[in-house]
Amino acid sequence: MELQQLRYALAVAEERNFTRAATKTHVVQSALSHQIKALERELGVRLFARTSRRVELTTAGHAFVAGARATLDAADRTVTEAVAATGQMRGSLSVGAIPTVTRLDLTAVLGRFHRTYPQVSIGMSVGGSLDFIERIRTGSLDAAVLGLPEDVEPKGVASTVIAQERLVAVLGPGHRFAERRRLRLADLADEAFVDFPSDSPGRSQSDRAFAEAGLTRTVAFESMLVDMMLDLVGQGLCIALLAPAVVPDGRELATVPVTDGPKRAEYLAWSEFNPSPAASAFVESALASLGAEQG
């Protein structure tokens, strides 16, 4: 059994289609089909149930694919670590970021990483903290910047707090509270809000703060895009509770401290189980950049 055969089998399992799997692995379909049949003969089991229109994993196929993926991951890790031992770095780095990163200049860190390790392929995605934690646990993501309520720590991953801050009220021009020096949650309870989706940590920190104050509020708009949130506030449709650093100058928006408002913690998280050399180098670079700023 060859590693390339495992890669072909994984491609078919992921694509559920021999034509797309052949394109993905840069081989003609007839050659891929031949390799899959040879693999099945060697194993003595059928991995895929297929017709001219449909391809599905068999029970044996499901078991095989899980082991094949682990084998290929281990093989790739072995090559990467061997090359890293020579002072070089190859492989890939995948990083996640919440929409409201405020403490870490992530693009600058990735830029320096790329210049230091040009042979490492870098990818970045923007999304939610809970999804990123799960992806780090399962090995599909190397590291992420997370935002969580101040009393919630990410579980199952290695992490360090890089910022703690209280959210501010973001108000449109001409809002009745725009000139206030400070506010309380009770002042805002009757306002319409824009916030993150209801199942996200970015939303829960504000929901919990209102609940603990014995107050209810109306979230009329939901978005994962901070720019859209600010545009909605600017149109006078709603207000928001956001980290002050995500509100740029020049937007004609007021930011007012909320004395009993929600607090959040920003984390840098990575795998606590055998991180790749690229992931370890990225985390070291990110933490070093924070130390340099503090210095």
Side-chain angles (χ1 to χ4, degrees), residues 84-112:
T86 68
Q88 303 178 47
M89 185 81 71
R90 293 181 182 173
S92 63
L93 173 71
S94 57
V95 179
I98 55 173
T100 54
V101 176
T102 60
R103 181 67 180 87
L104 182 67
D105 189 344
L106 185 56
T107 56
V109 173
L110 290 174
R112 285 193 296 271

Side-chain angles (χ1 to χ4, degrees), residues 230-281:
L230 298 180
D231 287 343
L232 290 167
V233 172
Q235 293 296 325
L237 294 167
C238 51
I239 69 172
L241 288 170
L242 292 170
V246 306
V247 184
D249 296 332
R251 291 295 298 253
E252 297 185 353
L253 300 175
T255 56
V256 182
V258 181
T259 55
D260 58 344
K263 294 180 180 179
R264 74 156 193 169
E266 199 166 294
Y267 289 86
L268 178 63
W270 63 96
S271 174
E272 63 180 358
F273 177 74
N274 194 25
S276 71
S280 296

